[in-house]
Amino acid sequence: MLSRRYLRIKAMQSLYAFYQSERAEFELGISDLDIPNPKRKAEIGKLLSFDRSKGFIRKNSIDLDIQLQKPEEEALEEFISNLKKGINKDILNLRKQMLKAADKISDHYVWLIELLKELARAEEVFLSKRKEKAAQTGIIKVENKRSLNDNLIIKSLKSTELIESEIIRKSISWEGDFDTVIRWYKDLVFSNDTYQEYLRNADATFETDKSVLLYIVKNIIFKSEPIDDFFSEKILNWEEDRDILKSLLVKSIKDSNSDQEDFELAELSYNLEDDLTYFEEIFDKTIDKENELDEYISEKSRNWDKDRFAILDHIILRMALCEMLHFSSIPVKVTINEYIEISKKYSTPKSRQFINGILDVLSKELKEKGQLRKSGRGLLDNK
């Protein structure tokens, strides 16, 4: 399922990309400053260091400790205008890419559903060739009692019009990789002892069919190195999306029952609209409230070694504090725990202690000042 942690991670990565592009826009703007005198341009450019840009990057003027001539003032005004345009464009593009990445999960989920059907088709091709070879050599092979094409859930997948329409709408096809699917079936499925036992079972039931599909999904599709390598090449965010796609596929199979005619696709999220709204807002508000958030963070991080203050740590702290202050329905404890877990996976080995320490102090201080306004069920501890 699409979790809030996944959305936090994707927003964090987009924010990292944004701050990198912001720096690039800033440095390009300085190099393009329309100041003819090289010495004056270098002097002004030195004062316009990127660290100082945070205070005026979204303002309409720049206050520098230097007397500016009229052409220089105009050059700086143009610099600010171009910088704002470039930054706003970057924000729009990154937000669009971020939402597109979340939407792609649905496409990849249907692609994996289609893979189950393709494995059944691969089995048919593989066993047919096997029989032909046996007939030519005169070697009699033991006939299997069951096949994936007999599997009641596979049959349901094939007959469900919604899945077929989604496949057409999303232009999903395994045709170009069908030889690969046949190889997967031969090397990973057919050769598997558990699956061989299923093939020999003449008395398979709906539950047996469900069990073998769950086994294929959990122990072959999501545990085999060749399949993992394939999806790593095909899906940009496979490393992060893998668990979500696995849970969607497993849930949809588990929820199947013998009374259903159609196979029901699992919901990407229990409340997708709210989740996507959160997704956009944590990205936008972390940028919009940057100066406010940094005031809190800088005050509490003065005694910390700057070498331990990784770029991602700063982004994680901004996001966590933004969530504490501006997302009233999310408990403070949830926010702190989520961002600590994210720091453990994506930042430095010492980040967990650093982030936990600052967020713990900030949360207590903000609560005492009554600046954390939480509302809704389960949030009484945040009053």
Side-chain angles (χ1 to χ4, degrees):
M1 303 293 288
L2 189 64
S3 67
R4 284 289 175 95
R5 180 174 298 176
Y6 173 86
L7 297 177
R8 288 181 177 100
I9 290 167
K10 300 311 294 180
M12 177 195 72
Q13 291 171 336
S14 295
L15 284 166
Y16 179 82
F18 166 69
Y19 290 122
Q20 294 296 102
S21 68
E22 183 184 53
R23 178 184 288 274
E25 293 278 1
F26 183 84
E27 291 175 351
L28 181 63
I30 289 178
S31 66
D32 289 343
L33 273 174
D34 188 16
I35 299 175
N37 186 321
K39 187 176 179 181
R40 286 288 289 178
K41 183 175 179 177
E43 186 179 4
I44 292 170
K46 189 176 181 180
L47 290 171
L48 290 170
S49 68
F50 186 74
D51 288 339
R52 292 203 59 203
S53 76
K54 294 175 184 176
F56 58 72
I57 206 165
R58 294 175 189 91
K59 294 180 182 179
N60 294 316
S61 63
I62 299 176
D63 298 320
L64 297 178
D65 298 327
I66 187 173
Q67 187 67 37
L68 296 174
Q69 299 173 4
K70 184 67 175 176
E72 293 170 343
E73 289 179 357
E74 291 173 352
L76 288 178
E77 286 174 6
E78 184 180 3
F79 163 71
I80 292 174
S81 176
N82 291 336
L83 188 60
K84 281 186 171 183
K85 287 176 185 176
I87 287 170
N88 289 335
K89 185 179 178 182
D90 290 339
I91 290 172
L92 290 173
N93 287 338
L94 285 165
R95 188 197 292 122
K96 184 178 178 181
Q97 291 172 24
M98 190 174 77
L99 293 171
K100 188 176 179 181
D103 188 54
K104 273 288 181 184
I105 292 175
S106 176
D107 295 359
H108 298 146
Y109 168 46
V110 176
W111 195 30
L112 283 164
I113 289 284
E114 183 70 356
L115 175 58
L116 295 177
K117 292 161 57 180
E118 290 299 286
L119 284 170
R121 182 161 75 100
E123 178 178 74
E124 193 172 10
V125 172
F126 172 73
L127 293 180
S128 175
K129 288 181 178 178
R130 200 163 177 261
K131 285 179 182 178
E132 286 178 15
K133 188 175 180 180
Q136 291 170 2
T137 59
I139 299 173
I140 299 173
K141 297 285 184 181
V142 177
E143 289 292 327
N144 296 312
K145 309 293 184 184
R146 195 79 178 158
S147 75
L148 273 181
N149 284 292
D150 298 320
N151 187 290
L152 295 173
I153 296 177
I154 294 290
K155 285 184 175 182
S156 177
L157 283 172
K158 290 180 178 180
S159 64
T160 301
E161 291 183 4
L162 175 61
I163 293 176
E164 289 304 311
S165 64
E166 283 294 286
I167 287 166
I168 293 169
R169 186 175 71 84
K170 297 175 185 293
S171 301
I172 289 169
S173 173
W174 281 94
E175 205 57 46
D177 296 297
F178 189 59
D179 286 344
T180 300
V181 177
I182 293 175
R183 188 165 62 251
W184 290 345
Y185 174 80
K186 174 179 175 291
D187 296 343
L188 304 173
V189 181
F190 185 75
S191 63
N192 185 278
D193 290 340
T194 299
Y195 186 68
Q196 280 293 320
E197 185 180 339
Y198 171 76
L199 290 179
R200 294 191 294 268
N201 187 356
D203 301 318
T205 64
F206 183 86
E207 289 305 315
T208 310
D209 286 348
K210 179 188 287 191
S211 178
V212 79
L213 274 192
L214 286 172
Y215 180 85
I216 289 171
V217 169
K218 292 178 181 179
N219 297 285
I220 297 178
I221 292 177
F222 284 95
K223 274 194 178 178
S224 300
E225 189 175 329
I227 298 179
D228 193 69
D229 290 344
F230 174 87
F231 283 118
S232 293
E233 289 182 9
K234 297 284 185 178
I235 299 176
L236 180 64
N237 301 307
W238 173 248
E239 190 66 31
E240 289 144 17
D241 295 357
R242 184 199 289 114
D243 288 344
I244 296 173
L245 291 166
K246 180 182 177 181
S247 67
L248 286 168
L249 202 53
V250 167
K251 185 179 188 307
S252 57
I253 295 170
K254 278 186 174 179
D255 289 350
S256 299
N257 62 74
S258 56
D259 297 328
Q260 290 176 214
E261 282 191 24
D262 288 343
F263 183 89
E264 293 186 6
L265 295 172
E267 293 287 341
L268 186 60
S269 167
Y270 292 118
N271 199 327
L272 186 59
E273 188 175 343
D274 282 356
D275 283 341
L276 292 181
T277 297
Y278 164 82
F279 197 22
E280 287 186 274
E281 287 185 351
I282 191 64
F283 175 78
D284 291 340
K285 286 184 178 179
T286 301
I287 294 172
D288 292 341
K289 306 290 183 181
E290 179 183 311
N291 291 335
E292 171 200 352
L293 301 173
D294 280 355
E295 282 182 22
Y296 286 112
I297 294 167
S298 60
E299 185 182 335
K300 300 303 175 190
S301 60
R302 285 173 186 167
N303 297 327
W304 289 86
D305 185 348
K306 287 187 177 181
D307 290 338
R308 296 175 65 183
F309 212 156
I311 295 172
L312 275 180
D313 287 354
H314 203 159
I315 293 170
I316 289 169
L317 284 170
R318 281 175 180 167
M319 290 179 70
L321 186 55
C322 181
E323 196 169 289
M324 281 187 202
L325 290 167
H326 301 290
F327 290 77
S328 62
S329 65
I330 302 176
V332 171
K333 289 178 182 176
V334 170
T335 295
I336 293 175
N337 289 339
E338 283 294 296
Y339 285 101
I340 288 172
E341 289 301 311
I342 290 171
S343 72
K344 283 161 62 177
K345 184 173 181 180
Y346 290 92
S347 200
T348 67
K350 296 180 180 179
S351 292
R352 177 187 177 183
Q353 180 188 356
F354 171 60
I355 288 169
N356 186 31
I358 290 182
L359 292 181
D360 185 56
V361 171
L362 277 172
S363 64
K364 288 175 182 176
E365 185 177 294
L366 292 169
K367 279 182 187 180
E368 288 173 2
K369 292 180 178 179
Q371 290 177 271
L372 294 183
R373 297 178 179 86
K374 298 292 180 176
S375 60
R377 292 181 61 188
L379 298 174
L380 294 177
D381 62 320
N382 294 304
K383 285 187 175 180

